[in-house]
Amino acid sequence: MELIKDLLVVLGRIYTIYPLLLAVTLFMGRRSVAELPVFDYIIILSLGSVIGADIADPHIEHIPTIFAIVAIGVLQKIGSVLLIKSRLIGKWMTFEPIIVIKDGQFLHKNLKKARYPIDNILQMLREDQIFDINTVDMAVLEPNGTLSVLKKMEKMTVTLEDLKLKRQDSGLSYAIIKEGRVQTITLQKLNLTGKWLENQLSEREILLDQVFFASLNEQMSLNITVYDKEIPVPPLYH
């Protein structure tokens, strides 16, 4: 009788703590879940904790641990079915994909919503062999924290070697303004001055504090994203 009572306590804890874990994980943002769906991340995290505690502490009752593992597995199956069956529950249990770059421009409001800094997005672009944001048609931050990138049609790799054409892409691109702050060291390394940058912005009738991000490629082409200019894009849903 005591064992059944303990098992019911374990079951009650599992099915009351998971909504809290889910809420906290969603609050923390998609960066916290690495490359796993939110619900699977919570399941794996808690399974590891339960098994680790059982192995490390000989005083923990083994049968309740086994019961907890089975209950967590059942919960995962229930959650998977609900994600498929109900769009509303799926929306509550995970993140929506969010567009963070469109037509070579950062969508700063979406970045703020996703709580991702520019540097993280630039890093993920580099990991995808993209070194100039101007070559990106659209970049989508997925629910599992990965970045899906569609390059502009004219920038997509074709068999240029077979066509005996010279490479026409812009090569590397260097961030020279991030969130209104000039990257002075980068400018110096490029043998450019703050005055040069000021003139470039002035020609475009843009003030420094209006600039969310600006990059300069090897062809000296300046790409600027300003705060008060949002490209209208429809939302994406998983």
Side-chain angles (χ1 to χ4, degrees):
M1 194 66 184
E2 189 65 28
L3 178 58
I4 295 176
K5 182 180 178 180
D6 290 342
L7 294 181
L8 289 175
V9 170
V10 171
L11 187 63
R13 288 181 178 180
I14 289 173
Y15 286 87
T16 54
I17 201 67
Y18 269 86
L20 176 61
L21 275 174
L22 179 62
V24 170
T25 305
L26 291 172
F27 173 75
M28 289 166 59
R30 65 193 77 204
R31 294 180 63 196
S32 65
V33 301
E35 295 184 3
L36 289 171
V38 175
F39 192 68
D40 291 340
Y41 165 81
I42 293 173
I43 292 291
I44 291 172
L45 182 66
S46 49
L47 275 176
S49 300
V50 170
I51 294 170
D54 182 66
I55 294 173
D57 190 348
H59 300 292
I60 291 178
E61 293 283 344
H62 196 54
I63 292 178
T65 299
I66 294 173
F67 180 76
I69 292 171
V70 173
I72 291 171
V74 171
L75 180 63
Q76 196 277 337
K77 284 294 183 182
I78 294 172
S80 299
V81 172
L82 290 176
L83 282 170
I84 295 172
K85 295 289 185 180
S86 173
R87 174 72 186 86
L88 181 60
I89 292 176
K91 185 175 182 178
W92 286 344
M93 292 177 63
T94 189
F95 299 106
E96 296 286 2
I98 185 169
I99 301 172
V100 293
I101 299 174
K102 186 70 178 76
D103 295 333
Q105 301 284 299
F106 275 114
L107 304 182
H108 65 87
K109 289 183 179 179
N110 285 357
L111 278 175
K112 184 178 179 181
K113 181 180 177 181
R115 295 194 289 275
Y116 261 70
I118 295 174
D119 289 333
N120 281 149
I121 302 299
L122 292 175
Q123 177 186 339
M124 288 190 281
L125 288 174
R126 291 193 297 270
E127 289 171 352
D128 205 22
Q129 305 300 312
I130 297 173
F131 294 86
D132 185 359
I133 186 178
N134 197 43
T135 66
V136 178
D137 182 27
M138 180 183 291
V140 180
L141 194 58
E142 302 292 356
N144 62 359
T146 59
L147 191 69
S148 300
V149 181
L150 175 66
K151 296 183 72 173
K152 292 180 179 178
M153 189 63 67
E154 66 272 18
K155 299 295 183 179
M156 289 185 177
T157 305
V158 187
T159 55
L160 296 178
E161 185 175 350
D162 295 338
L163 296 173
K164 296 181 180 180
L165 296 175
K166 293 183 180 180
R167 194 180 79 175
Q168 298 295 321
D169 62 14
S170 55
L172 290 173
S173 179
Y174 305 92
I176 56 175
I177 300 176
K178 294 180 182 178
E179 299 182 41
R181 294 190 296 271
V182 177
Q183 307 299 298
T184 307
I185 296 177
T186 303
L187 277 179
Q188 291 175 349
K189 293 294 184 181
L190 294 172
N191 295 318
L192 298 172
T193 64
K195 186 63 176 177
W196 173 87
L197 180 58
E198 186 179 315
N199 290 337
Q200 294 296 315
L201 294 177
S202 179
E203 289 176 4
R204 294 165 172 79
E205 298 182 349
I206 299 173
L207 300 176
L208 178 60
D209 58 8
Q210 294 177 317
V211 180
F212 178 69
F213 178 81
S215 62
L216 186 70
N217 64 26
E218 293 178 333
Q219 278 66 50
M220 300 299 288
S221 176
L222 192 61
N223 182 38
I224 302 173
T225 299
V226 296
Y227 278 105
D228 59 357
K229 181 183 178 182
E230 279 290 347
I231 300 173
V233 292
L236 296 178
Y237 297 106
H238 58 69

